[in-house]
Amino acid sequence: MKSNPEVDPKLDAYIQALHRTAPRNPQLAARAREKFLAEAAQITYRAPSVSISMLSRLDKWMATLKSFRLVNQKERNPMFNLFITVLLVLGAVLGGGATTVAAAQTAQPDQTLYPVKTWSEDLRLGWETDPQAKFDLALKFTVRRAEEIKTMLAAGGIVPEPVLARFENQQQQELQMAAGMPDDLAKPAFEQVHNQSRQQVQVMQQLQLDNPACEQIRARVQTMLQVQVRASETGIENPDLLRDQLRLRDRDKIHQNTTGAETIDVETGTTANGNPWTTGTPTPGSGYGPGPGGSQNPWTDVTPTPGSGYGSGESQNPWTDETPVPGSGYGLGESQNPWTDETPVPGSGYGPGSGDCTSNCAPAPNSGNKP
Amino acid sequence: MNDLPDEALLRLARCFDQTALAKVYDLYNNGIYYYAMRLLGDPSLAEDCAAETFSRLLRALRNGGGPTDNLKAYLYRSAHNWITDYYRQIPPLPLDPDCNLVQPDSDPCQLAEQNLIQERVHAAMRLLTPEQRQVIDLRFVEGWELDEIAICLLKPVGAVKALQHRAVAALQKMLLE
């Protein structure tokens, strides 16, 4: 028995014990040999057939696969399993996700996949870098919203508030995008917005509605569309003016957000103070906004006449009936005239002076002036 | 016929040359039997294992399969698979003290001591994984080289070395500590 230099001598002594095995029963061994040879004799040689047997084909396939070193290792690399797992998970997530997004494109606001649809729209807009393509996408998505609203109203359903809010936001977004373009591109873009909004107004008008709640929503959507039509008209005529208006509106919005004073009533779309202009510029004469508004003040250009009720209003002057006491701060106040007690010396520049009084006024006696 | 290499012997065996088949049997049957005996500890099971191993070889050759170059590795792998399948069906039982693993010796004390050591070694071997057991047996009892074992186990030589290292460490822990 050969000793094993690779192992501890004490352990080797134990391993050597494995060599000691009881001898084989020669009769059993001889019987097994006979049996084997008899079995071998029964099998006649068959020349290999033209087409390989199924098992041989399987063996060949397995050999081919093993040549890729994918299945021949019983102890697989843990990284291999991890890699396959990650690959499968990614395939499932991306493949499944793409299918879901594709299926969601026809979803309506009352369906489960609708949030996926809006999310995918946001994602596409976010990824688009070309301004013209982005504007086209925004137009397309606004048309989609209008279609959704029309479909829901036609079916007698109530359009959820988030859908209306999103529609309004998308309208503003497309205006902003058009305004952000150079003038030569902005005008055609405003025209597109204008035409599209007008078409939508017509579509809304043609809807046959029975439900009063739907009527209200239609009226609100039409108002939104009309505001959009007017804004785009302004943009076509004078893009700079619209840009200024949009800038002012954004500034107001930022101010509103920072003060947080206004809360929008979801049902009526108005603020707590009754102002329905939560997003757009108020129309003239609506009573809201900085314009001349609904006050009856006619003194828009010149100073109001005293007693008209306009102007600076009541002062703190207590001298309403009598002449103010000198030095009270009211009245004519202190002038630079030194002749407060006596008659000013002629030619001093104070007093009635010579003037043109020669023809109409009679000189006082002893005044030194003779007619 | 005696000096024929494995490849030539296999070519003849594929044509069901009875002399070649008998030669293959005589060359490897005893080795397979003792290999199975060490792992199974039961002479009748070892006989079954050896018989089934050679019967599988015949069936494989008939179907156009079987070994292409290393006949010895193929036969030992086949025997090991048989043993693994057997243990899958029936969990290993404790060694039968009457199985006469050791040839009866004239000295009863020495015989008792050898039996005791053998029982400990076999008990420790059974606690190894089938592959570790196979590596220990082929390497230290059959005296195979690492590359031969690698062919038999269908593993890289490095993996065989790792298996051997882990098996030796486990045996050391079980038998010496």
Side-chain angles (χ1 to χ4, degrees):
Chain A
M1 276 181 286
K2 197 170 67 174
S3 67
N4 303 303
E6 295 171 52
V7 294
D8 187 275
K10 288 179 190 172
L11 181 65
D12 191 42
Y14 280 101
I15 289 174
Q16 292 302 328
L18 289 171
H19 286 277
R20 291 188 288 270
T21 315
R24 189 177 184 184
N25 185 333
Q27 287 173 344
L28 286 175
R31 206 180 300 160
R33 188 176 188 276
E34 279 172 23
K35 198 179 163 191
F36 169 77
L37 290 175
E39 192 181 347
Q42 279 179 359
I43 299 171
T44 50
Y45 173 69
R46 287 183 304 183
S49 54
V50 176
S51 60
I52 313 166
S53 72
M54 192 181 72
L55 282 172
S56 301
R57 282 204 300 272
L58 180 66
D59 283 346
K60 283 197 171 183
W61 272 107
M62 290 305 288
T64 312
L65 287 174
K66 279 174 188 173
S67 69
F68 295 126
R69 300 191 64 80
L70 289 174
V71 291
N72 62 340
Q73 292 183 339
K74 286 188 179 173
E75 285 183 3
R76 282 189 190 132
N77 187 347
M79 285 305 289
F80 176 79
N81 289 339
L82 183 69
F83 174 72
I84 290 290
T85 311
V86 168
L87 211 63
L88 285 174
V89 168
L90 275 180
V93 168
L94 293 181
T99 313
T100 311
V101 169
Q105 295 311 302
T106 53
Q108 290 298 309
D110 52 351
Q111 290 176 336
T112 320
L113 284 178
Y114 188 72
V116 180
K117 181 183 181 178
T118 53
W119 172 79
S120 68
E121 286 176 1
D122 292 343
L123 207 65
R124 282 179 70 186
L125 269 179
W127 277 350
E128 189 56 64
T129 48
D130 178 41
Q132 185 61 48
K134 202 169 186 170
F135 172 73
D136 291 341
L137 266 182
L139 273 182
K140 185 180 159 187
F141 295 150
T142 313
V143 172
R144 272 191 187 185
R145 286 298 86 68
E147 283 292 320
E148 287 164 8
I149 292 168
K150 189 198 85 178
T151 311
M152 287 206 82
L153 289 176
I158 303 295
V159 183
E161 181 59 32
V163 177
L164 292 172
R166 190 177 176 84
F167 177 58
E168 197 172 9
N169 279 338
Q170 285 179 331
Q171 282 185 318
Q172 290 173 15
Q173 204 176 19
E174 65 186 21
L175 268 186
Q176 293 274 15
M177 285 179 189
M181 293 178 183
D183 279 355
D184 55 331
L185 292 175
K187 280 193 177 178
F190 284 128
E191 276 167 9
Q192 273 182 283
V193 174
H194 183 257
N195 295 338
Q196 182 186 288
S197 304
R198 285 195 64 178
Q199 279 174 11
Q200 286 165 357
V201 169
Q202 284 169 3
V203 169
M204 286 291 156
Q205 276 170 351
Q206 285 163 4
L207 275 178
Q208 302 290 325
L209 302 176
D210 303 327
N211 190 343
C214 293
E215 279 289 355
Q216 278 183 359
I217 292 170
R218 174 168 63 182
R220 189 172 157 199
V221 173
Q222 276 182 324
T223 311
M224 287 180 199
L225 289 167
Q226 278 156 1
V227 168
Q228 188 79 343
V229 168
R230 280 198 295 273
S232 53
E233 277 169 358
T234 312
I236 294 163
E237 286 163 14
N238 189 350
D240 286 335
L241 179 63
L242 184 71
R243 285 181 189 123
D244 287 344
Q245 286 179 359
L246 291 173
R247 214 172 292 130
L248 279 173
R249 192 179 63 188
D250 286 347
R251 197 187 61 189
D252 290 348
K253 205 183 273 182
I254 291 165
H255 178 69
Q256 211 171 49
N257 288 341
T258 49
T259 53
E262 299 273 297
T263 52
I264 298 168
D265 183 351
V266 175
E267 289 298 320
T268 59
T270 58
T271 56
N273 61 12
N275 182 358
W277 303 98
T278 53
T279 50
T281 312
T283 48
S286 66
Y288 296 98
S295 82
Q296 300 303 315
N297 185 355
W299 305 98
T300 51
D301 300 325
V302 289
T303 312
T305 49
S308 66
Y310 294 97
S312 58
E314 286 184 15
S315 72
Q316 300 301 316
N317 186 353
W319 307 98
T320 51
D321 302 326
E322 301 167 41
T323 311
V325 174
S328 66
Y330 294 97
L332 297 174
E334 284 185 18
S335 69
Q336 300 301 316
N337 187 353
W339 308 96
T340 51
D341 302 326
E342 300 168 41
T343 309
V345 175
S348 67
Y350 294 95
S354 58
D356 295 329
C357 202
T358 48
S359 56
N360 299 327
C361 306
N366 304 323
S367 66
N369 288 331
K370 289 181 181 175
Chain B
M1 182 71 75
N2 285 343
D3 301 329
L4 277 178
D6 266 9
E7 287 78 12
L9 206 56
L10 262 173
R11 266 201 306 275
L12 289 172
R14 281 185 186 283
C15 298
F16 288 90
D17 182 293
Q18 296 295 307
T19 320
L21 286 170
K23 176 70 184 165
V24 168
Y25 187 88
D26 292 339
L27 263 177
Y28 298 113
N29 183 260
N30 267 338
I32 296 288
Y33 169 82
Y34 285 112
Y35 175 70
M37 182 65 191
R38 282 191 300 274
L39 295 180
L40 292 162
D42 184 326
S44 60
L45 281 177
E47 286 288 354
D48 285 351
C49 176
E52 181 60 25
T53 301
F54 282 92
S55 183
R56 282 181 184 180
L57 172 69
L58 284 180
R59 288 199 295 270
L61 292 175
R62 187 187 58 192
N63 292 328
T68 49
D69 47 5
N70 202 319
L71 179 59
K72 186 169 78 166
Y74 176 87
L75 287 171
Y76 275 80
R77 186 165 63 242
S78 184
H80 190 81
N81 290 343
W82 189 92
I83 294 165
T84 309
D85 289 345
Y86 173 79
Y87 278 139
R88 275 196 194 125
Q89 292 160 9
I90 303 159
L93 299 168
L95 274 181
D96 181 4
D98 299 326
C99 71
N100 286 331
L101 288 175
V102 178
Q103 195 173 9
D105 206 275
S106 53
D107 185 359
C109 290
Q110 200 181 353
L111 181 66
E113 192 184 351
Q114 280 179 358
N115 277 344
L116 202 65
I117 289 172
Q118 271 200 321
E119 271 180 40
R120 281 194 68 192
V121 176
H122 278 280
M125 286 284 280
R126 285 180 180 204
L127 292 174
L128 300 179
T129 65
E131 281 177 338
Q132 288 175 348
R133 205 157 48 221
Q134 195 176 9
V135 169
I136 290 289
D137 197 285
L138 295 177
R139 181 91 177 114
F140 299 125
V141 182
E142 295 285 337
W144 288 22
E145 293 300 322
L146 285 171
D147 51 352
E148 284 180 301
I149 301 174
I151 293 168
C152 179
L153 266 67
L154 296 176
K155 281 184 184 298
V157 175
V160 175
K161 277 184 189 171
L163 277 171
Q164 179 186 318
H165 178 76
R166 286 199 293 269
V168 168
L171 285 177
Q172 217 155 7
K173 198 173 178 184
M174 287 186 278
L175 296 170
L176 302 180
E177 287 179 9

